[in-house]
Amino acid sequence: MKNLFYFLAILSVAFCTSCTDDEPEATPSKYAKGVFVTNEGAFTGGTGTLTYKEDGVAPIQDVYATDNNGKVLGNILQSMHGVDDQYFFVVNNANKIEVASSKDLVSTATIDGIDLPRYMVSASDDKAYVSYWGADGVTGGVAVIDLNNLSVSSKIETYSGPENMTILNDALYVTVAGGFGRATSLLKIDTNTDAVVNTIELHDNPNSI
């Protein structure tokens, strides 16, 4: 009798568990099986575009405009970065970052207030950094982006055209390539305080890391 009681108790728990509402499945991205290629566009005019390519299938051109009723990214499409469920398109000459959903490329926001932005790297789901040259191309810095409200929260002065960046442990390393001028350094920035803690001298115009 005792064994029957335990069996019925286990069966009851299993039944109740099976009746629990399942979490709805996330809608997969329609671009999950391929890669994107950013096309910067003509330097003196026009707009940058985005191409999508799946293996064995012809490339699909200008997918951003297609998914946004003809809206263009702007001139020049410098780089692209993904954070969580969003894509960030860094548009250099247009002085902005266009934000779109990674599921369908539909535009969700525009981040302004950055002159000649270059590259973006994320420190977490809440915070990212964008290198920029400044309006004159030589007095740039690194913009700190609040990813919760999609805005510039502060700026770190670096001067001389910062370029590509990477994060290692709690440090942001920024190549300083000179912009329209000349530079020779790699900066180390503490991601907890956003303060420059070291300057490492290299050779002329380092731009990638």
Side-chain angles (χ1 to χ4, degrees):
M1 187 67 182
K2 183 183 293 185
N3 289 339
L4 179 61
F5 173 79
Y6 286 139
F7 172 77
L8 291 175
I10 292 171
L11 184 63
S12 176
V13 170
F15 177 78
C16 290
T17 302
S18 67
C19 292
T20 302
D21 291 336
D22 292 331
E23 291 293 327
E25 292 185 5
T27 303
S29 169
K30 65 179 181 178
Y31 297 111
K33 297 181 180 180
V35 297
F36 290 112
V37 178
T38 56
N39 310 293
E40 66 178 27
F43 184 74
T44 55
T47 182
T49 60
L50 189 67
T51 298
Y52 176 70
K53 178 70 173 72
E54 287 186 15
D55 191 29
V57 180
I60 304 174
Q61 308 292 353
D62 212 0
V63 289
Y64 180 85
T66 299
D67 287 335
N68 287 280
N69 299 314
K71 179 181 179 180
V72 299
L73 283 164
N75 181 262
I76 295 224
L77 180 53
Q78 181 68 38
S79 60
M80 174 183 177
H81 183 69
V83 183
D84 197 15
D85 59 351
Q86 293 180 306
Y87 288 136
F88 295 79
F89 299 97
V90 182
V91 192
N92 181 254
N93 281 354
N95 303 319
K96 66 176 182 176
I97 300 171
E98 289 290 347
V99 187
S101 166
S102 63
K103 293 180 180 179
D104 52 18
L105 284 184
V106 172
S107 175
T108 57
T110 300
I111 303 173
D112 295 307
I114 309 174
D115 291 323
L116 300 184
R118 304 291 291 175
Y119 298 97
M120 181 174 180
V121 63
S122 50
S124 67
D125 289 341
D126 302 312
K127 182 180 183 181
Y129 296 94
V130 175
S131 58
Y132 66 93
W133 283 11
D136 59 2
V138 294
T139 56
V142 175
V144 183
I145 306 297
D146 184 334
L147 295 176
N148 294 306
N149 58 28
L150 299 177
S151 65
V152 177
S153 59
S154 62
K155 291 182 178 179
I156 306 165
E157 291 185 351
T158 64
Y159 301 107
S160 301
E163 284 283 80
N164 273 292
M165 305 169 288
T166 194
I167 292 177
L168 178 63
N169 299 324
D170 292 327
L172 171 72
Y173 291 88
V174 185
T175 58
V176 183
F180 294 140
R182 174 180 175 273
T184 60
S185 59
L186 175 71
L187 299 184
K188 180 181 179 181
I189 296 173
D190 187 325
T191 56
N192 296 307
T193 63
D194 292 336
V196 178
V197 295
N198 196 12
T199 300
I200 304 162
E201 289 303 318
L202 304 174
H203 289 285
D204 287 347
N205 305 94
N207 64 16
S208 302
I209 186 168

